[in-house]
C-alpha cells in the first residue's frame, strides 16, 4: 500500500512564493541504485522529513524543480479525506513554506487526492485529482480547472498516479506533446481473473484535449506506469505489477 506517514526529500534533488520558517533537518543518507546482476551503486545523499513537525496525515508526495525561479514545488495529500496542498522552497530544501490548500479560481477548496504533479516550464504546473486536471500559470501560486479527465476508451474508470511525460522540440524547446498513463480494474464476472490494466493517451495542446486511450497489451496486470524517453528516442515504461498469486496471501 502506498500510504506514507510523512513526506521525504532526498538531497540529490536540486533546489516554491517566500519560504516561511518551516525547518527540516538534513541527515546523512545513502541512495542504492540497483544494477542488474552487478553490485548495487551506492550514492551519498542527504534526507530530510519535511512533514515531521506537522502532526497530521501527509501522503503521496510529488515534487518538481522550476529552474526559472530556482524553486522546488511539492504536492501532497493531507488529512482525511485527502485533499491537495502545496509547499515550496527557495533554498534547495533548507526551509519550506507552510503547506497551502489548493483552491480553484473561485476560491473553492479542491478535494480529492492530488497526483501526477508535472512541470511544463515557464511557470506552468499541472496536477490531477479524480476526474479533473488543474493548471497553474504562476509557479503553483494559483490554480484553475484545466480539463475534465475522460474515462478510458472502453468506458472503464481512469485512475492516475505518475507524472505526465513532456515531449519537447529539440530545437525550440517548445512542448509538442504530453503523454498520460492511467489504469483501471477488470473484475469477475467480466473476466476470469481480477487484474489491473494500464493505458496511454496523448495531448498536443498542453492537456486540454486528449486522443482516445490505448489499452497496452503488455500492460495487462500492471498499473502506475512511469515514462521516460531513452537516448535512442524510445519511450520506456516502468510499471507496478499486480501481486502474483504466490504472494497474494501476504498482501495487506
Amino acid at each position: 500500500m502506498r500510504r506514507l506517514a510523512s513526506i521525504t526529500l532526498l538531497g540529490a534533488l536540486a533546489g516554491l512564493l517566500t519560504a516561511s520558517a518551516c525547518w527540516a533537518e538534513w541527515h546523512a543518507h545513502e541512495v542504492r541504485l540497483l544494477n542488474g546482476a552487478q553490485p548495487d551503486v551506492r550514492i551519498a545523499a542527504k534526507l530530510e522529513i519535511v512533514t515531521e513537525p506537522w502532526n497530521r496525515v501527509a501522503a503521496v508526495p510529488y515534487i518538481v524543480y522550476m529552474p526559472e525561479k530556482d524553486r522546488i514545488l511539492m504536492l501532497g495529500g493531507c488529512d482525511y479525506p485527502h485533499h491537495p496542498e502545496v509547499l515550496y522552497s527557495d533554498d534547495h530544501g533548507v526551509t519550506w513554506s507552510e503547506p497551502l490548500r489548493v483552491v480553484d479560481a473561485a476560491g473553492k477548496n479542491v478535494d480529492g487526492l492530488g497526483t501526477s504533479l508535472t512541470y511544463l516550464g515557464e511557470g506552468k504546473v499541472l496536477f490531477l485529482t479524480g476526474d479533473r486536471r488543474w493548471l497553474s500559470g504562476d509557479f503553483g501560486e494559483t490554480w484553475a480547472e484545466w480539463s475534465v479527465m475522460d474515462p478510458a476508451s472502453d468506458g472503464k474508470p481512469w485512475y492516475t498516479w505518475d507524472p505526465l511525460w513532456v515531449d519537447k522540440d529539440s530545437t525550440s524547446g517548445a512542448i509538442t506533446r504530453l503523454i498520460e498513463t492511467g489504469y483501471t480494474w477488470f473484475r469477475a464476472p467480466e473476466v476470469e481473473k481480477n487484474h489491473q490494466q494500464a493505458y496511454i493517451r496523448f495531448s498536443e495542446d498542453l492537456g486540454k484535449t486528449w486522443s482516445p486511450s490505448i489499452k497496452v497489451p503488455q500492460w495487462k496486470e500492471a498499473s502506475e506506469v512511469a515514462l521516460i524517453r531513452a537516448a535512442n528516442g524510445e519511450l520506456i515504461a516502468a510499471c507496478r505489477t499486480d501481486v502474483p498469486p504466490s504472494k497474494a496471501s501476504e498482501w495487506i
Side-chain angles (χ1 to χ4, degrees):
M1 298 296 236
R2 293 217 177 183
R3 291 188 176 174
L4 305 181
S6 57
I7 296 174
T8 60
L9 171 68
L10 293 179
L13 297 172
L16 278 198
L17 318 156
T18 303
S20 68
C22 182
W23 293 84
E25 185 177 352
W26 288 103
H27 301 278
H29 192 71
E30 183 178 73
V31 176
R32 296 186 180 184
L33 178 65
L34 300 183
N35 193 24
Q38 301 299 314
D40 57 3
V41 178
R42 303 193 175 196
I43 306 170
K46 293 181 180 180
L47 176 145
E48 63 178 6
I49 304 177
V50 177
T51 60
E52 193 167 31
W54 291 9
N55 192 31
R56 62 190 296 209
V57 170
V60 192
Y62 295 84
I63 192 169
V64 295
Y65 176 61
M66 303 183 291
E68 298 91 341
K69 285 186 173 289
D70 192 20
R71 173 176 291 173
I72 300 172
L73 178 68
M74 187 186 292
L75 170 74
C78 294
D79 307 326
Y80 286 126
H82 292 323
H83 62 263
E85 297 196 15
V86 293
L87 58 156
Y88 52 85
S89 173
D90 283 326
D91 52 16
H92 300 186
V94 177
T95 59
W96 291 84
S97 70
E98 295 294 334
L100 299 174
R101 182 157 186 166
V102 176
V103 299
D104 64 16
K108 182 180 178 181
N109 288 336
V110 174
D111 296 320
L113 179 65
T115 67
S116 310
L117 184 70
T118 303
Y119 188 56
L120 306 180
E122 299 180 344
K124 295 183 177 66
V125 195
L126 188 73
F127 80 91
L128 316 178
T129 60
D131 63 348
R132 296 288 188 274
R133 299 180 185 88
W134 301 90
L135 182 70
S136 171
D138 53 13
F139 299 92
E141 294 190 39
T142 60
W143 298 87
E145 182 180 314
W146 182 235
S147 58
V148 176
M149 209 136 36
D150 293 327
S153 299
D154 53 11
K156 287 289 186 180
W158 182 274
Y159 304 117
T160 62
W161 194 268
D162 292 276
L164 285 66
W165 181 254
V166 182
D167 269 334
K168 295 184 178 182
D169 182 273
S170 58
T171 302
S172 67
I175 295 175
T176 58
R177 185 170 64 168
L178 298 182
I179 308 176
E180 182 180 271
T181 62
Y183 62 94
T184 197
W185 274 99
F186 283 80
R187 301 181 187 274
E190 181 181 13
V191 293
E192 182 177 346
K193 176 187 174 184
N194 293 350
H195 67 271
Q196 295 182 97
Q197 168 70 53
Y199 301 77
I200 191 169
R201 59 187 173 195
F202 307 89
S203 172
E204 297 182 353
D205 57 5
L206 296 183
K208 196 67 174 176
T209 60
W210 291 83
S211 68
S213 63
I214 300 168
K215 182 192 295 184
V216 181
Q218 295 82 358
W219 294 354
K220 182 181 178 181
E221 300 184 13
S223 62
E224 300 179 14
V225 181
L227 301 174
I228 193 168
R229 194 170 291 285
N232 65 1
E234 293 182 347
L235 201 61
I236 309 298
C239 308
R240 178 182 182 180
T241 57
D242 286 0
V243 179
S246 63
K247 300 294 185 182
S249 62
E250 303 174 16
W251 186 247
I252 299 175

